[in-house]
Amino acid sequence: MIIGLTGGIGSGKSTVARAFEALGAAWVDADDVAREIVLPKEPALLAIQSRFGDQVMHQDGTLNRAALREIVFNDPEQRQWLESITHPKIRERLVQHLERFKAQGAPYVLLVSPLLFETGQDALVNRTVVVDVPQALQLSRTLQRDGVSESQVRAILAAQLSREQRLAKADDVIDNSGDHASMKEQVARLDERYRQQLSY
């Protein structure tokens, strides 16, 4: 069984995924895969460099993600182009990781993705879990964690589904606005339910 785990920026998806992992689930993170596909010599990075030039590159030949983000979040056309290059490659690599976990016999696998619904990755999963927090908390957590400007965080929020849209698509919801213990309790309940479903 593949469970799609999603939530807006700053909702705590990775923390929730690690709580599932502690109970024996395997997980793959679309953000990690997004970084994999733009490593030096990867076709996606070569395409990005040829379109935007050295302004989006570090001296060592790696992608300057901050510089690229600055360009694409202010220009919908450039963002569309970037997504048309990266999203198919991310999906292809995710499928490879999921197949590998399946072969290793994990009880169930989490596909952790901030854009699960927006990119159609939910077609790869059997169930979806939304990690939900109020928008004000998303904003403060992201500002604290990433050291980016508030306008940049708001641009990222605007590019993602609204909280209401995401909740409407969820099979299961984890409220992550409380403390760590409350989140772990919700994860344990879902883990139990998923294992029961697998044993039918």
Side-chain angles (χ1 to χ4, degrees), residues 9 14 19 26 28 32 36 49 82 89 110 114 123 134 159 174:
I9 187 170
S14 301
V28 58
D32 292 341
E36 268 176 38
Q49 187 176 8
L82 182 66
K89 294 194 182 313
L110 298 173
I174 289 176

Side-chain angles (χ1 to χ4, degrees), residues 10-85:
S11 58
K13 293 177 294 297
S14 301
T15 309
V16 170
R18 282 192 286 273
F20 274 107
E21 184 181 38
L23 299 174
W27 62 294
V28 58
D29 190 324
D31 279 348
D32 292 341
V33 171
R35 281 188 277 276
E36 268 176 38
I37 62 138
V38 290
L39 288 172
K41 300 199 171 54
E42 286 278 351
L45 181 62
L46 299 173
I48 290 166
Q49 187 176 8
S50 95
R51 183 168 179 107
F52 299 110
D54 290 340
Q55 63 171 333
V56 296
M57 302 299 292
H58 288 298
Q59 290 288 310
D60 63 0
T62 58
L63 180 64
N64 183 337
R65 297 171 71 85
L68 180 63
R69 198 183 297 135
E70 200 64 47
I71 295 169
V72 300
F73 271 113
N74 294 321
D75 187 334
E77 206 176 299
Q78 298 286 29
R79 192 171 88 225
Q80 264 177 332
W81 176 87
L82 182 66
E83 288 172 354
S84 75
I85 293 292

Side-chain angles (χ1 to χ4, degrees), residues 9 29-30 35 55 57 94 99 101 107 114 122-123 127 129 133 136 140 149 151 162 167 174-175 183 186 192:
I9 187 170
D29 190 324
R35 281 188 277 276
Q55 63 171 333
M57 302 299 292
L94 281 172
E99 291 299 330
F101 282 129
D122 55 320
R127 268 190 97 71
V129 183
V133 297
S140 65
S149 69
S151 63
S162 72
L167 288 171
I174 289 176
D175 174 4
M183 178 272 289
Q186 295 174 72
E192 199 177 317

Side-chain angles (χ1 to χ4, degrees), residues 95-115:
V95 170
Q96 289 169 5
H97 284 295
L98 292 168
E99 291 299 330
R100 194 182 77 241
F101 282 129
K102 230 188 286 188
Q104 289 168 358
Y108 59 89
V109 182
L110 298 173
L111 165 52
V112 182
S113 175
L115 300 174

